[in-house]
Amino acid sequence: MSSLVPPFTLETATRKVRLAEDGWNSRDPGRVSLVYTPDSQWRNRAEFITGRAEIVAFLARKWAKELDYRLIKEIWAFTDDRIAVRFAYEWHDDSGNWFRSYGNENWEFDAAGLMQRRFACINDLPIRETERKYHWPLGRRPDDHPGLTELGL
């Protein structure tokens, strides 16, 4: 496979999306931060985040609140140095209330393949535990687990 740097092909953009999903499913803020430029700029909901240290702090807060987090990402579109994805993740709070969070992200990469900008729009839908669709063990989604389209999401 060719390198995962711009300009992207469908193959490299799709692989980049799956690697991002795998990283976020690790729930390891330090590991996840390494795929972003040191001065990466984010908008995540109403938060504006700049740089790896802020990314690590944000993700640590996120995963302390969003328990048993499981995520699926799917490519939506791509150009030379940009990728658009849609995603959904399931999680529960410390009171046992379950949610499915839906969103879209727009990513822009530098020449080395590090993400320099990430813009995310996310909505949370309360669900019953019986409505969950993600049941794999915490960590990477198994290759044979359905994606968003196959799950009707």
Side-chain angles (χ1 to χ4, degrees), residues 2-102:
S2 60
S3 184
L4 298 179
V5 298
F8 295 116
T9 65
L10 178 58
E11 178 187 4
T12 60
T14 300
R15 183 75 182 131
K16 197 84 158 166
V17 171
R18 180 57 194 242
L19 290 173
E21 175 188 312
D22 293 349
W24 281 64
N25 276 328
S26 76
R27 296 178 335 275
D28 179 339
R31 172 184 166 193
V32 171
S33 74
L34 296 178
V35 302
Y36 299 95
T37 61
D39 60 349
S40 184
Q41 297 175 353
W42 286 20
R43 182 186 44 77
N44 192 89
R45 299 179 194 249
E47 273 192 79
F48 294 84
I49 299 159
T50 302
R52 287 184 180 157
E54 288 184 20
I55 290 169
V56 169
F58 168 81
L59 293 174
R61 283 192 320 272
K62 173 184 180 63
W63 291 321
K65 174 189 172 199
E66 296 177 355
L67 306 174
D68 290 323
Y69 175 98
R70 290 172 178 85
L71 164 73
I72 299 176
K73 290 183 183 279
E74 184 174 281
I75 191 167
W76 188 253
F78 72 96
T79 63
D80 290 342
D81 65 347
R82 294 180 178 180
I83 300 174
V85 299
R86 65 187 200 95
F87 62 87
Y89 60 91
E90 293 181 348
W91 59 281
H92 67 85
D93 63 18
D94 60 3
S95 297
N97 300 303
W98 280 92
F99 299 87
R100 185 173 305 118
S101 299
Y102 295 95

Side-chain angles (χ1 to χ4, degrees), residues 118-137:
R118 174 185 173 267
F119 304 104
C121 298
I122 307 166
N123 298 297
D124 301 319
L125 174 69
I127 60 173
R128 292 186 303 272
E129 186 170 4
T130 58
E131 296 174 298
R132 291 180 53 217
K133 295 181 180 279
Y134 303 175
H135 297 283
W136 69 84

